[in-house]
Amino acid sequence: MRRGGEVEAFRALHLGRAPGDPLVLPGPWDATSARVFVAAGFPALATPSAGVAASLGYEDGAVPADEMFAAVARITRAVHVPVSADIEAGYGLAPREIVERLLEAGAVGCNLEDSDGGVLKDPHEQAEFLAEFRAAAGDRLFLNARVDTFLRGEKDPERAIERAALYVAAGADCVYPILAPADVLPLLRAGIQGPINVHGHLDGGGPSPAGLGELGATRITFGPGLQRWAALALQGMAEQLVKRQAE
């Protein structure tokens, strides 16, 4: 369980942000990475399901619910800042059970995807699911509703805006049109009420967090990018160890 006030503090981090100053949320995959990000000064964290899956030895999307919630709990216990959890599409659990398990794990909120098995869900059915989650959670959890249209090949921004409107009306605090191209962010910003989560870039291949903020992003997350970056660094250290071994 988290201390009282953390959800309110996390929600407040999303409000009143100036253009060019989005909330940057690194994605820890274990307790050590979470502590590193907090020590660097980040005020909150957001776990990536794919990064956690890699740390547990699973393919993305293959982590059993029990193991994912246990991993989230280890991360929340390790740090004193709010932690939101990526719990994919909810593992087939009922909204009330998802709420209970997030609270038990110490999370202040979650991502919930609107596709499953690579297929977009019916947006009205997903909105009903999110509304049930909100009714069970009340104000105790921050809900980031992922919009997977761009991820699933639907390039028309209006489809993302339509889904986002349904999810905000259902009680989502933030929407996440994952993989939305940077050039459509101003259109999404104009058509979506409330905070927008945008996928950030680590390699200079796209706008900086500040640049994404100028285009309309409220918050930036990186998916499993940081975990994969760390794995590459570890690979380099392993190669150096092999060389030293041969000296």
Side-chain angles (χ1 to χ4, degrees):
M1 285 286 186
R2 305 303 287 179
R3 295 179 297 275
E6 283 200 330
V7 178
E8 291 80 1
F10 186 68
R11 189 171 280 113
L13 287 170
H14 295 75
L15 304 177
R17 303 202 71 90
D21 181 33
L23 173 63
V24 176
L25 296 175
W29 53 94
D30 60 14
T32 297
S33 59
R35 287 174 174 144
V36 167
F37 295 138
V38 172
F42 291 98
L45 307 173
T47 68
S49 62
V52 173
S55 75
L56 296 175
Y58 291 97
E59 295 296 320
D60 185 23
V63 181
D66 288 350
E67 293 198 44
M68 182 61 77
F69 285 109
V72 171
R74 287 192 291 273
I75 290 169
T76 65
R77 286 197 303 266
V79 296
H80 63 275
V81 303
V83 178
S84 183
D86 182 349
I87 54 168
E88 303 177 80
Y91 308 110
L93 302 173
R96 182 170 295 280
E97 185 174 355
I98 295 173
V99 167
E100 291 171 355
R101 300 196 69 168
L102 286 166
L103 293 172
E104 289 172 0
V108 299
C110 69
N111 282 10
L112 282 170
E113 303 170 4
D114 73 342
S115 63
D116 203 5
V119 178
L120 284 167
K121 297 180 179 181
D122 178 274
H124 296 280
E125 292 179 1
Q126 178 67 359
E128 290 178 7
F129 181 81
L130 297 179
E132 290 180 32
F133 176 97
R134 173 54 65 208
D139 291 332
R140 296 179 295 169
L141 292 169
F142 184 99
L143 175 57
N144 188 35
R146 214 174 79 173
V147 177
D148 290 0
T149 51
F150 297 104
L151 177 65
R152 303 305 175 198
E154 173 55 75
K155 300 186 184 303
D156 184 353
E158 291 301 327
R159 301 290 81 75
I161 292 171
E162 290 168 3
R163 285 177 174 257
L166 289 171
Y167 303 162
V168 170
D173 297 286
C174 182
V175 293
Y176 180 13
I178 188 170
L179 299 188
D183 61 358
V184 306
L185 290 181
L187 179 60
L188 296 179
R189 176 67 284 165
I192 294 174
Q193 297 295 315
I196 300 176
N197 189 155
V198 173
H199 186 85
H201 305 275
L202 297 169
D203 58 2
S208 67
L212 291 172
E214 292 286 356
L215 291 170
T218 309
R219 82 180 206 179
I220 311 294
T221 54
F222 302 94
L226 290 161
Q227 184 271 330
R228 292 172 180 171
W229 211 3
L232 287 174
L234 188 59
Q235 179 181 333
M237 286 184 271
E239 292 169 356
Q240 288 298 315
L241 182 59
V242 169
K243 290 179 183 179
R244 290 296 301 272
Q245 204 172 251
E247 289 177 358

